[in-house]
Amino acid sequence: MSDSTPVEFTASNDSRQLLKQELAQRQAQLMQLTPASNPLERANVQYEIAEIMLELEEPGMREAAWGMTRESFEIYRDREYWEDAVRCCDVLYRCDLPASVPALGNGLWLAVTYPINPEVTIIMLNHLIDATPPKADGAAVAATVAHYIADLRLEGEKRDSMMFLTSAMLGKVAERHSNVNSQEAMNLWLNRLDLLNPKVFLPRLGQVIDAIVEGQWWYDREALRSRLPVH
């Protein structure tokens, strides 16, 4: 094979068959749950089923995955399992249905507000970057927050490797936004867009999230904010 030959991965019949078996097992597990069962067990199983359905991508599965994941989100939200709630929003966004963009916004607010696994937060911010037009400032703000969170929430080698990744994300966004292709140009760009001060770029992310949620909030932000150690 020459170096220039593209390598394409296609799920083999075997791997699809394994996914279908896994789905059948999880669905059987779900059927065994009763109203007396622990709601968290139901939320976990439904989340796993939704992930498999998105992998299989058969007709009607995205809609079924949405319904189950939305219910799981509410179970996690009501128990304040914020990281699991954000993971549900990730699945809901990937369902690619009309309400998927507000789902992304709901997940982003929780992912930035609470100190969950920063890798999950960065995945959500990357979704926002991908969903934002190249010349819009929203992607620049999202990439800046990703870099800031990697620095803030991680330590040691994990911090170094994640900051390398978020630095590359920021560089890619700068290039597509303003054709930035040097460190000097990057410094000018960061200054011009006011992306060096968290007291400026964090509220701007909040404005972007407000815009994509369009009032479709699935929790009371003011109530949650009032209970934060610092607000």
Side-chain angles (χ1 to χ4, degrees):
M1 184 191 295
S2 73
D3 290 343
S4 60
T5 307
V7 178
E8 291 185 5
F9 174 77
T10 306
S12 67
N13 288 334
D14 285 350
S15 65
R16 286 190 70 79
Q17 204 53 46
L18 284 171
L19 280 172
K20 286 183 176 181
Q21 287 169 12
E22 192 73 28
L23 179 61
Q25 286 170 10
R26 293 283 186 277
Q27 287 173 326
Q29 202 178 338
L30 185 63
M31 292 293 286
Q32 287 166 5
L33 298 178
T34 68
S37 301
N38 183 344
L40 286 170
E41 190 179 353
R42 175 177 296 279
N44 293 340
V45 174
Q46 290 187 164
Y47 171 84
E48 288 164 2
I49 288 172
E51 282 278 25
I52 297 168
M53 284 180 162
L54 286 188
E55 282 283 317
L56 283 169
E57 282 193 302
E58 290 187 355
M61 282 191 174
R62 280 190 302 164
E63 290 79 5
W66 174 279
M68 279 192 279
T69 309
R70 186 72 175 81
E71 188 181 332
S72 293
F73 170 87
E74 290 176 7
I75 293 168
Y76 294 133
R77 175 203 62 199
D78 293 348
R79 285 154 186 78
E80 301 195 359
Y81 281 49
W82 299 126
E83 187 171 314
D84 292 312
V86 173
R87 289 182 189 276
C88 286
C89 290
D90 168 52
V91 170
L92 292 167
Y93 176 69
R94 289 188 284 119
C95 286
D96 197 21
L97 292 169
S100 287
V101 173
L104 173 61
N106 274 273
L108 273 167
W109 191 88
L110 294 173
V112 173
T113 302
Y114 292 97
I116 68 167
N117 181 345
E119 291 178 27
V120 177
T121 302
I122 288 162
I123 285 168
M124 298 299 283
L125 287 161
N126 201 42
H127 285 326
L128 179 57
I129 291 167
D130 290 342
T132 304
K135 300 299 179 188
D137 291 354
V141 173
T144 302
V145 173
H147 197 53
Y148 172 72
I149 281 174
D151 185 21
L152 189 69
R153 295 188 190 169
L154 291 168
E155 293 177 355
E157 286 184 15
K158 264 204 159 179
R159 175 185 171 276
D160 294 343
S161 62
M162 188 56 73
M163 287 195 76
F164 180 79
L165 174 67
T166 55
S167 186
M169 282 166 62
L170 193 52
K172 184 179 170 187
V173 168
E175 186 180 6
R176 73 175 196 172
H177 182 278
S178 296
N179 299 315
V180 169
N181 56 14
S182 70
Q183 187 59 53
E184 185 185 3
M186 175 65 104
N187 294 342
L188 288 168
W189 181 75
L190 290 168
N191 271 302
R192 180 166 60 83
L193 293 185
D194 215 352
L195 297 174
L196 297 171
N197 184 352
K199 289 182 178 176
V200 175
F201 62 68
L202 288 173
R204 284 177 69 193
L205 178 67
Q207 291 167 1
V208 173
I209 292 171
D210 267 335
I212 65 173
V213 172
E214 294 184 321
Q216 298 174 57
W217 290 105
W218 300 341
Y219 42 81
D220 183 339
R221 285 180 300 161
E222 291 310 312
L224 294 179
R225 202 181 273 129
S226 71
R227 285 162 35 214
L228 292 170
V230 180
H231 56 273

